[in-house]
Amino acid sequence: MPYRRKLPVLIFLLLCWSVPALWVQAGQHVPVPDREANETTRRGAVTNITVFFELLPEECFFDPAPTAGQRKELLDGKTVNGLRIGVRDIRNGYMNLTGPFEGVWEMCFWNTADKGKLVAVNARSCGPVCRTRLFFYRLDADGVLQSDPEVWSALERQFEPGDFYQKGRLGPRELEALKNLAKTAVYDLPRLGRDIVARRDKNAPPEKGVPEMLMRSDPSVVFVWDGMSFTKKP
């Protein structure tokens, strides 16, 4: 008799264990690879996009940068100096801010192949012409975000005039004028997926001395994430 009384309880516990597993196997709400939320550092601190938001240095925000206390208020759903969180996608490791600025402020992170974290911030201000500042940080063993400018430098080195213009029709003077395409491009960080898209601002005039007729019809490039770095898609 005692065994019979315990049998329904055992069946109930078995169902509680198996149903979530079947739900995940069905493919519902599975995080993007390399972007899983709620992981832990070696010191045991939970790391997700909201934690990284609080850890960011002031340099990557529009002026004035929100203080530590103001960031907590933003995470609580409040509006601070006109700023508020527009998207907070913890599952896919993405967040953006909206507010009294023309442009885009967004951030995301990747899990790296060496079990680290790479965090990116895209601060794009638009005048009549948009300009982007990209910031990259790596999470160290003490839970501190350390700037990694080499990630940006590696992206910059991969740009070529043919990314935005018809390279076969460019002469020496035009090629010289297009040496710094990375600084005039605008970028989109991924919310879904893993790759960074760079494109030419459609409102920007052609680089000085370069005829507009030489511009490609779709001036954009994709930088593919390989688990440690980004490589331009052929």
Side-chain angles (χ1 to χ4, degrees):
M1 290 299 293
Y3 174 78
R4 291 181 179 179
R5 286 198 297 269
K6 291 181 180 180
L7 185 59
V9 176
L10 293 173
I11 294 174
F12 174 76
L13 291 174
L14 179 62
L15 288 173
C16 289
W17 175 83
S18 61
V19 169
L22 292 172
W23 179 70
V24 171
Q25 290 172 8
Q28 299 182 23
H29 302 290
V30 177
V32 175
D34 299 329
R35 304 283 292 285
E36 294 90 344
N38 292 328
E39 297 198 0
T40 58
T41 65
R42 278 172 284 180
R43 291 181 178 271
V46 174
T47 57
N48 61 38
I49 196 68
T50 61
V51 174
F52 293 141
F53 177 69
E54 294 188 84
L55 293 176
L56 287 173
E58 293 185 357
E59 65 177 359
C60 62
F61 289 95
F62 295 127
D63 191 45
T67 65
Q70 290 171 334
R71 293 187 211 183
K72 291 184 182 298
E73 292 183 61
L74 287 167
L75 291 172
D76 287 338
K78 299 178 182 178
T79 299
V80 178
N81 296 330
L83 290 177
R84 64 185 300 272
I85 293 176
V87 173
R88 174 169 36 185
D89 188 345
I90 294 178
R91 184 172 293 276
N92 287 310
Y94 177 91
M95 180 185 293
N96 68 25
L97 295 177
T98 62
F101 57 84
E102 291 189 39
V104 171
W105 192 97
E106 60 180 355
M107 66 178 294
C108 69
F109 79 93
W110 296 262
N111 296 319
T112 60
D114 61 357
K115 302 187 183 302
K117 309 290 181 186
L118 178 67
V119 178
V121 174
N122 176 24
R124 182 195 311 160
S125 58
C126 295
V129 176
C130 293
R131 292 290 182 266
T132 294
R133 294 184 302 155
L134 275 183
F135 302 88
F136 292 94
Y137 305 94
R138 293 191 186 273
L139 187 70
D140 68 16
D142 294 320
V144 177
L145 290 179
Q146 302 288 353
S147 177
D148 188 353
E150 176 54 29
V151 180
W152 161 251
S153 297
L155 290 180
E156 191 175 27
R157 290 192 295 267
Q158 296 180 68
F159 273 91
E160 300 175 294
D163 293 334
F164 294 164
Y165 290 86
Q166 302 172 49
K167 187 175 181 179
R169 301 179 62 186
L170 298 172
R173 186 174 62 180
E174 288 86 8
L175 290 172
E176 181 65 24
L178 297 173
K179 287 173 60 176
N180 295 313
L181 281 182
K183 293 181 173 63
T184 60
V186 295
Y187 301 83
D188 297 312
L189 297 180
R191 178 179 178 185
L192 300 176
R194 305 182 299 173
D195 306 333
I196 295 176
V197 176
R199 53 191 171 81
R200 198 178 185 285
D201 178 16
K202 62 182 180 180
N203 295 319
E207 278 72 14
K208 188 176 181 179
V210 183
E212 187 172 0
M213 62 182 293
L214 298 182
M215 194 180 301
R216 288 175 45 193
S217 58
D218 180 25
S220 64
V221 291
V222 177
F223 292 95
V224 179
W225 173 249
D226 66 7
M228 286 300 292
S229 60
F230 297 93
T231 303
K232 188 174 69 174
K233 186 176 181 179

